[in-house]
Amino acid sequence: QVQLVESGGGLVQAGGSLRLSCTASSGFFSAYVIGWFRQSPGKERAFVAAIGTSDGGTQYADSIKGRFTISRHNDVNTVYLQMNNLTPEDTAVYYCGALGVGPWTRQYDYAFWGQGTQVTVSS
């Protein structure tokens, strides 16, 4: 069992930046692929980015490539999502998850989730 807690969301103007954190309070954090997803009202939860266990392998959604960077620091059980050049279309609740088995981009393969953190980008 892995317990995940997201933080770092907030209100920012278009063009601004935020850094989200996903911290595990228990479990073998370093053994899990960690992914970030986001969900806007009326839409399905969508893949944003994911990072492998230890080799630093990453995967990004096309919509955020070049603007967002995912990184992990296993010594502090934390994965970060640095978000730059934000637009109103990035407004959503952002969730981090720990992957069970399966493709990194499919939410239904993630075994554990945090409670989410709201990101709002004003124009």
Side-chain angles (χ1 to χ4, degrees):
Q1 184 102 8
V2 177
Q3 294 178 328
L4 302 172
V5 178
E6 302 96 335
S7 61
L11 174 63
V12 65
Q13 288 189 332
S17 298
L18 284 173
R19 189 178 77 161
L20 305 183
S21 299
C22 172
T23 301
S25 60
S26 62
F28 297 97
F29 177 77
S30 62
Y32 288 91
V33 170
I34 300 296
W36 283 98
F37 288 71
R38 65 187 183 186
Q39 188 168 20
S40 303
K43 294 187 178 180
E44 280 206 0
R45 195 171 293 190
F47 173 75
V48 176
I51 189 164
T53 55
S54 60
D55 62 0
T58 58
Q59 188 170 358
Y60 294 95
D62 289 342
S63 60
I64 57 86
K65 275 183 184 175
R67 299 189 298 123
F68 292 11
T69 303
I70 190 171
S71 61
R72 75 185 297 160
H73 296 265
N74 289 333
D75 55 337
V76 291
N77 283 359
T78 300
V79 167
Y80 300 103
L81 185 68
Q82 177 66 45
M83 307 187 297
N84 298 327
N85 195 20
L86 287 161
T87 74
E89 289 68 36
D90 296 315
T91 296
V93 178
Y94 284 71
Y95 298 90
C96 68
L99 182 67
V101 177
W104 291 11
T105 60
R106 201 163 63 188
Q107 62 161 319
Y108 301 108
D109 294 313
Y110 282 71
F112 306 104
W113 291 96
Q115 82 291 347
T117 186
Q118 176 71 48
V119 171
T120 303
V121 184
S122 63
S123 57

